């Protein structure tokens, strides 16, 4: 299977039905009651996820923690999303997942998930009041890595900063970091 698949087997999925699914190695998410299933990501994607998590974890202010998927944000009974990386205030955490509002979320794009990450998830994260949204395109052998930082303004995400390849990007906000997109995917 390649890419993300939406499977409306039921009219509206719930957390209970999601939690009852067998562990099949796929990522299962709910977006307003619609089941989203995506395959395991590739090496470049996972390298970017790990390096973004390391940056954010080191820069977290007191009272916040950085997490990496699979770790669910469950703002309501029919939504359970697993951002690749998220920074969460401790009071938003339960023993099992995140029910409060994360400070920021990061999605690392894959060919099969990019469209959903740029549209449906972006919209849902904005509706949830998440103050900052990062999109990381890990690129490939032909295209350089790209990082885009969106801040929530008047209920919509607005592009605040963008860097390509070896360009340096200083990210402002509660979790301030400086990075180069190429460093997120370059083998060590």
């Amino acid at each position: 299977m390649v890419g993300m698949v939406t499977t409306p087997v039921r009219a509206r999925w719930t957390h209970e039905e999601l939690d009852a699914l067998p562990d099949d190695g796929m990522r299962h998410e709910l977006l307003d009651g619609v089941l989203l299933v995506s395959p395991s990501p590739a090496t470049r994607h996972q390298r970017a996820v790990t390096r973004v998590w390391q940056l954010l974890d080191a820069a977290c202010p007191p009272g916040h923690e950085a997490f990496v998927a699979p770790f669910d944000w469950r703002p309501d009974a029919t939504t359970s999303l697993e951002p690749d990386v998220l920074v969460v205030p401790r009071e938003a955490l339960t023993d099992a997942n995140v029910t409060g509002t994360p400070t920021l979320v990061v999605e690392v794009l894959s060919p099969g998930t990019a469209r959903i990450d740029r549209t449906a998830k972006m919209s849902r994260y904005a509706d949830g009041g998440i103050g900052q949204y990062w999109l990381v395109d890990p690129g490939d052998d032909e295209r350089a890595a790209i990082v885009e930082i969106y801040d929530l303004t008047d209920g919509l995400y607005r592009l605040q900063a963008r860097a390509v390849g070896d360009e340096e990007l200083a990210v402002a906000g509660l979790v301030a970091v400086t990075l180069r997109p190429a460093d997120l995917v370059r083998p060590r």
Side-chain angles (χ1 to χ4, degrees), residues 17 21 23-24 42 47 49-50 56 59 66 69-72 96 101 106 137 147 172:
E17 293 165 326
L21 290 172
D23 183 3
D24 60 3
R47 189 177 289 133
V49 167
T50 301
L56 294 175
F71 195 59
D72 301 83
T101 304
V106 180
D137 181 343
V147 174

Side-chain angles (χ1 to χ4, degrees), residues 7-39:
T7 311
V9 174
R10 293 174 174 81
R12 240 171 129 70
W13 284 74
T14 66
H15 293 166
E16 293 76 24
E17 293 165 326
L18 177 70
D19 293 342
L21 290 172
D23 183 3
D24 60 3
M26 305 288 271
R27 179 182 281 188
H28 299 90
E29 300 175 280
L30 293 182
L31 182 58
D32 298 325
V34 176
L35 179 65
L36 306 175
V37 181
S38 55

Side-chain angles (χ1 to χ4, degrees), residues 96-152:
N97 50 49
V98 179
T99 56
T101 304
T103 299
L104 74 88
V105 296
V106 180
E107 293 288 1
V108 177
L109 306 178
S110 294
T113 65
R115 187 173 183 184
I116 295 223
D117 292 341
R118 287 190 175 281
T119 59
K121 282 188 171 184
M122 180 182 260
S123 176
R124 188 61 184 93
Y125 293 147
D127 289 348
I130 299 170
Q132 197 168 71
Y133 183 43
W134 294 21
L135 285 174
V136 177
D137 181 343
D140 56 31
D141 292 338
E142 307 297 318
R143 296 178 307 105
I146 301 168
V147 174
E148 297 173 344
I149 308 299
Y150 295 86
D151 285 340
L152 190 63

